[in-house]
């Protein structure tokens, strides 16, 4: 593979993973082209700015764009390495939709040449990399595609899923171990050489299918464990027990580590990826399916509890604190907080204030509800009830004397000193 300064890399998809990945690669000196279907995203990146919230990303993008190492375009160009980082949503009945991945592969096929490396990073059902390989073989019969040719292939195709935490993406892109699955062992080695340019963590090679399932297993594991915590919170509600105290005490056992419950599970990974396994083997995945149902069901429980609180105080304004799927980010994808807040706004309209420090305006789902976006200080002054949906640092910082007179439904356990509400006894509204 060519030197860093001569390497040309195209990253398809400039979202929460694609843009940080492109910027980190560009920092090595490679010439990186970010390809996106949204002209506004392309214009923003080319101006040296970012359209997503991620710690230190704005400074990194500004620097690599200024040095000419990163630019964005609506059109693909010939490159040495192609990284696919497009969404993989699910459709009806939670069936995975790899349409964006296949469209990206079709785009790459136009400019693909001998010696190139194609890497899929999008979280995908097992077998997706093979489908990309088949598609490229169909579209480019003039090239020797791995697993579809005799002898050495002209190009290398591999799967290497991202495994980063929003809020720490730039650090974890470099420090976390990477699982690199090749269509063939030679493909895995080619991709390994590329990741070694910017990854300090261990790079472990395997097959493409094993790497695909590894990513799904990681997120299903977390989903199942969160489901246990959420189910425990429902039992604690019914029994009038503080679930946060129970978890704190149980975790003093040397072999117990119960995760934190919440209003549900969000984000494009944990809330989506387990369904890929369920869809592939529905009769073999009752635990994974049940965990998904428990976590989705927690949203309805939170809505019911919040509704009880609001109806018990008909003259009181209520503030929903947070819309993001986790703390200190602006990512609302599959967010249970957003789903709860929208439903509360639809039911109670102008009585509802939304506090989300990472949003400049309310999402379109709030249109026509009468709910308003406000800041935390205004909410403290004007709202008598708080529904804590996200554990943003700014919410954690509110001292007891500013909320002691509030009715509070804390789904995140950020205020253990808050007096418990009594509007729905015997259920305790501390989830």
């Amino acid at each position: 593979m060519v030197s860093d300064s001569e390497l040309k890399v195209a990253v398809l998809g400039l979202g929460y993973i694609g843009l940080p990945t492109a910027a980190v690669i560009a920092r090595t000196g490679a010439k990186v082209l970010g390809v996106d279907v949204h002209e506004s995203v392309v214009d923003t990146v080319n101006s040296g700015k970012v359209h997503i919230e991620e710690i230190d990303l704005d400074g990194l993008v500004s620097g690599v764009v200024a040095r000419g190492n990163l630019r964005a375009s609506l059109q693909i160009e010939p490159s040495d390495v192609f990284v696919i980082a497009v969404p993989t949503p699910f459709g009806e009945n939670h069936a995975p939709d790899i349409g964006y991945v296949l469209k990206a592969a079709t785009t790459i096929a136009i400019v693909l040449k001998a010696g190139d490396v194609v890497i899929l990073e999008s979280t995908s059902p097992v077998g997706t990399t093979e489908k990309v390989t088949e598609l490229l073989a169909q579209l480019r019969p003039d090239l020797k595609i791995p697993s579809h040719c005799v002898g050495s292939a002209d190009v290398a195709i591999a799967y290497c899923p991202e495994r980063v935490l929003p809020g720490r993406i730039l650090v974890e892109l470099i420090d976390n171990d990477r699982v690199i699955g090749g269509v063939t062992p030679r493909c895995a080695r080619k991709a390994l050489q590329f990741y070694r340019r910017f990854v300090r963590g261990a790079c472990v090679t395997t097959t493409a299918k094993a790497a695909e399932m590894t990513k799904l297993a990681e997120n299903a594991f977390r989903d199942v464990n969160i489901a246990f915590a959420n189910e425990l919170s429902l039992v604690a509600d019914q029994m009038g027990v503080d679930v946060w105290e129970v978890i704190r005490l149980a975790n003093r056992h040397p072999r117990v580590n119960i995760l934190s419950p919440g209003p549900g599970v969000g984000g494009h990974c944990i809330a989506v990826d387990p369904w890929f396994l369920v869809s592939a083997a529905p009769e073999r995945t009752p635990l994974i399916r049940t965990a998904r149902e428990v976590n989705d069901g927690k949203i309805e429980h939170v809505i019911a509890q919040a509704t009880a609180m609001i109806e018990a105080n008909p003259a009181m304004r209520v503030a929903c604190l947070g819309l993001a799927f986790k703390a200190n980010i602006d990512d609302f994808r599959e967010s249970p907080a957003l789903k709860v807040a929208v439903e509360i706004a639809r039911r109670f309209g102008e009585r509802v204030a939304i506090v989300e420090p990472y949003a400049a305006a309310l999402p379109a789902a709030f249109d026509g509800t009468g709910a308003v976006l406000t800041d935390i200080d205004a909410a403290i002054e004007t709202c008598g009830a708080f529904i804590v949906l996200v554990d943003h640092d700014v919410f954690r910082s509110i001292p007891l004397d500013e909320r002691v007179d509030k009715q509070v439904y804390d789904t995140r356990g950020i205020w253990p000193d808050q007096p418990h509400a009594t509007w729905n006894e015997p259920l305790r509204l501390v989830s």
Side-chain angles (χ1 to χ4, degrees), residues 155-175:
V155 299
I157 304 173
Y159 180 76
C160 183
E162 55 80 16
R163 50 191 350 186
V164 295
L165 182 70
R168 288 180 47 84
I169 291 179
L170 295 183
V171 173
E172 297 198 353
L173 279 175
I174 297 171
D175 291 343

Side-chain angles (χ1 to χ4, degrees), residues 58-92:
D58 53 350
L60 176 58
V61 168
S62 176
V64 293
V65 169
R67 290 194 294 273
N69 287 359
L70 173 63
R71 60 188 177 86
S73 175
L74 296 169
Q75 304 296 326
I76 193 68
E77 296 178 11
S79 301
D80 303 307
V81 179
F82 298 90
V83 178
I84 300 174
V86 298
T88 50
F90 57 69
E92 294 184 6

Side-chain angles (χ1 to χ4, degrees), residues 34-64:
V35 181
D36 202 274
V37 298
H38 299 289
E39 187 172 359
S40 60
V41 171
V42 169
D43 291 342
T44 297
V45 173
N46 283 334
S47 68
K49 299 178 181 179
V50 298
H51 59 288
I52 56 177
E53 184 77 24
E54 179 60 38
I55 295 175
D56 296 332
L57 180 61
D58 53 350
L60 176 58
V61 168
S62 176
V64 293

Side-chain angles (χ1 to χ4, degrees), residues 287-367:
L287 177 63
I288 298 172
R289 175 187 290 276
T290 300
R292 278 280 72 239
E293 292 170 348
V294 167
N295 286 331
D296 284 347
K298 185 65 183 296
I299 297 172
E300 298 305 317
H301 173 79
V302 170
I303 291 171
Q305 296 284 68
T307 297
M309 178 182 74
I310 299 169
E311 289 179 342
N313 301 275
M316 187 177 291
R317 296 197 73 224
V318 58
C320 293
L321 305 189
L323 298 176
F325 84 83
K326 68 182 297 291
N328 306 319
I329 63 172
D330 68 342
D331 192 344
F332 300 165
R333 291 177 296 175
E334 302 297 325
S335 172
L338 176 61
K339 294 174 183 177
V340 171
V342 167
E343 184 58 31
I344 295 302
R346 287 172 179 167
R347 295 186 184 190
F348 299 100
E350 295 180 355
R351 291 178 60 191
V352 180
I354 307 296
V355 183
E356 177 47 76
Y358 293 90
L362 288 178
F366 289 95
D367 290 352

Side-chain angles (χ1 to χ4, degrees), residues 2-8 28-31 69 197:
V2 299
S3 65
D4 286 341
S5 60
E6 297 175 336
L7 184 68
K8 294 181 179 180
T28 68
K31 300 299 182 183
N69 287 359
R197 294 171 178 265

Side-chain angles (χ1 to χ4, degrees), residues 30-315:
K31 300 299 182 183
V32 180
L33 174 72
V35 181
D36 202 274
V37 298
H38 299 289
E39 187 172 359
S40 60
V41 171
V42 169
D43 291 342
T44 297
V45 173
N46 283 334
S47 68
K49 299 178 181 179
V50 298
H51 59 288
I52 56 177
E53 184 77 24
E54 179 60 38
I55 295 175
D56 296 332
L57 180 61
D58 53 350
L60 176 58
V61 168
S62 176
V64 293
V65 169
R67 290 194 294 273
N69 287 359
L70 173 63
R71 60 188 177 86
S73 175
L74 296 169
Q75 304 296 326
I76 193 68
E77 296 178 11
S79 301
D80 303 307
V81 179
F82 298 90
V83 178
I84 300 174
V86 298
T88 50
F90 57 69
E92 294 184 6
N93 299 318
H94 300 110
D97 179 1
I98 62 170
Y100 294 119
V101 170
L102 297 181
K103 184 176 181 180
T106 301
T107 300
I108 291 169
I110 300 171
V111 296
L112 194 64
K113 65 183 186 301
D116 288 351
V117 178
V118 178
I119 300 170
L120 175 60
E121 286 204 358
S122 306
T123 303
S124 304
V126 177
T128 301
T129 308
E130 289 184 353
K131 291 182 179 179
V132 168
T133 304
E134 293 170 2
L135 180 59
L136 291 176
Q138 294 171 8
L139 296 175
R140 293 298 304 272
D142 57 311
L143 292 174
K144 296 172 69 176
I145 303 298
S147 295
H148 294 267
C149 66
V150 177
S152 298
D154 289 333
V155 299
I157 304 173
Y159 180 76
C160 183
E162 55 80 16
R163 50 191 350 186
V164 295
L165 182 70
R168 288 180 47 84
I169 291 179
L170 295 183
V171 173
E172 297 198 353
L173 279 175
I174 297 171
D175 291 343
N176 286 2
D177 295 350
R178 300 301 292 255
V179 177
I180 303 170
V183 172
T184 65
R186 183 172 179 269
C187 289
R189 290 192 295 272
K190 290 285 188 180
L192 171 66
Q193 293 176 36
F194 170 67
Y195 282 100
R196 269 283 159 240
R197 294 171 178 265
F198 62 92
V199 173
R200 285 196 293 257
C203 292
V204 182
T205 58
T206 183
T207 65
K209 279 189 172 182
E212 289 165 341
M213 189 163 181
T214 296
K215 172 64 174 181
L216 301 182
E218 292 168 356
N219 287 330
F221 172 85
R222 296 199 63 209
D223 196 44
V224 168
N225 282 270
I226 295 170
F228 175 79
N230 277 335
E231 191 166 275
L232 197 65
S233 74
L234 300 178
V235 176
D237 273 355
Q238 182 168 321
M239 295 184 173
V241 177
D242 185 342
V243 70
W244 306 103
E245 181 180 12
V246 170
I247 291 174
R248 184 176 66 253
L249 296 174
N251 284 348
R252 294 180 70 88
H253 188 291
R255 289 174 295 280
V256 173
N257 183 24
I258 302 172
L259 301 181
S260 297
V265 173
H268 186 64
C269 289
I270 300 178
V272 175
D273 300 348
W275 287 119
F276 294 0
L277 291 173
V278 174
S279 179
E283 296 181 357
R284 305 295 186 190
T285 50
L287 177 63
I288 298 172
R289 175 187 290 276
T290 300
R292 278 280 72 239
E293 292 170 348
V294 167
N295 286 331
D296 284 347
K298 185 65 183 296
I299 297 172
E300 298 305 317
H301 173 79
V302 170
I303 291 171
Q305 296 284 68
T307 297
M309 178 182 74
I310 299 169
E311 289 179 342
N313 301 275

